[in-house]
Amino acid sequence: EKDELTQAEKMFCKAIELGLKNASIYNALATCYLFQKKFIRAKEMFHKTIRSDLIDYLVYIDIGWCYARQKKPLQAEEMFYKVIELNHDNDIPYGALAVLYTEIGKYELAEEYYKKANKLRLQNYNPETRHNYQKIKEILNKRGIKLMAVQYPMRNVESLKKMLDPYDDIL
């Protein structure tokens, strides 16, 4: 987070050397490599993440972006579709495909996948996010402060309203 990528890389490599070989460490090191534009190493670490015991299917999104940054849209697309295959109710791969298609000039496909992503965002919300809003609301209520929730400008506000439905007094 401090943009000290070389130092972070050394720390993650040391953790692996010490035997902390789990998905989180591999994924963090892969992301570190990705930001340093060390794409081959990033891809190797992302694949180690997949082979580890604690696989998070969204690592395929990271691998897809690794391919996209290398100007390999077909491989990126394949990774994003892999996530849809594993969890078709998640909006993230649809949004990733929309961005990818926009970047490579396939605007009709991009529009189609933006719509799919937005439809899923309207149907679902992250329960953890709702829980966090509830906690924030409790704290602010104790202090007499009004909570104001803001949605990303490119996202439909309906998903936020659905998540915050029981709280009529939120701006």
Side-chain angles (χ1 to χ4, degrees):
E1 289 181 11
K2 294 173 136 184
D3 205 26
E4 296 174 6
L5 298 172
T6 305
Q7 184 65 20
E9 177 185 345
K10 288 177 186 174
M11 292 172 68
F12 293 129
C13 287
K14 184 68 173 176
I16 291 169
E17 181 185 312
L18 293 172
L20 299 173
K21 297 178 181 180
N22 64 47
S24 298
I25 299 293
Y26 289 134
N27 197 49
L29 181 57
T31 303
C32 188
Y33 286 143
L34 184 61
F35 285 125
Q36 295 178 76
K37 298 185 182 320
K38 296 179 180 179
F39 298 119
I40 293 170
R41 286 180 147 177
K43 192 169 67 168
E44 289 171 3
M45 286 302 120
F46 282 132
H47 283 288
K48 282 188 178 189
T49 303
I50 290 170
R51 288 190 299 271
S52 69
D53 295 333
L54 304 170
I55 178 59
D56 177 351
Y57 64 89
L58 291 177
V59 75
Y60 290 107
I61 295 290
D62 295 329
I63 295 170
W65 286 123
C66 188
Y67 281 126
R69 297 304 162 246
Q70 294 176 79
K71 307 292 187 218
K72 296 180 179 181
L74 293 177
Q75 290 93 333
E77 181 182 47
E78 184 181 330
M79 292 295 110
F80 299 150
Y81 278 114
K82 180 77 171 169
V83 178
I84 292 170
E85 180 184 312
L86 294 169
N87 184 346
H88 65 278
D89 290 332
N90 191 305
D91 66 282
I92 294 171
Y94 295 99
L97 282 163
V99 171
L100 177 69
Y101 290 141
T102 299
E103 288 178 356
I104 62 175
K106 294 184 176 182
Y107 300 112
E108 287 181 21
L109 274 174
E111 183 64 26
E112 178 184 331
Y113 281 91
Y114 277 122
K115 287 179 181 176
K116 287 181 181 184
N118 282 331
K119 182 179 178 186
L120 286 169
R121 289 176 188 136
L122 283 173
Q123 292 172 351
N124 307 309
Y125 60 82
N126 184 330
E128 190 174 321
T129 303
R130 184 176 189 171
H131 173 77
N132 291 339
Y133 268 115
Q134 290 172 340
K135 291 298 177 189
I136 291 169
K137 181 79 172 114
E138 287 174 24
I139 293 167
L140 293 177
N141 279 347
K142 288 178 185 175
R143 297 180 182 176
I145 300 171
K146 186 107 172 136
L147 174 62
M148 181 170 81
V150 179
Q151 182 66 301
Y152 293 107
M154 297 204 44
R155 292 189 62 183
N156 189 317
V157 75
E158 292 306 312
S159 60
L160 185 64
K161 285 181 180 178
K162 181 179 174 184
M163 182 173 53
L164 301 174
D165 186 35
Y167 305 108
D168 293 333
D169 62 334
I170 295 177
L171 296 176

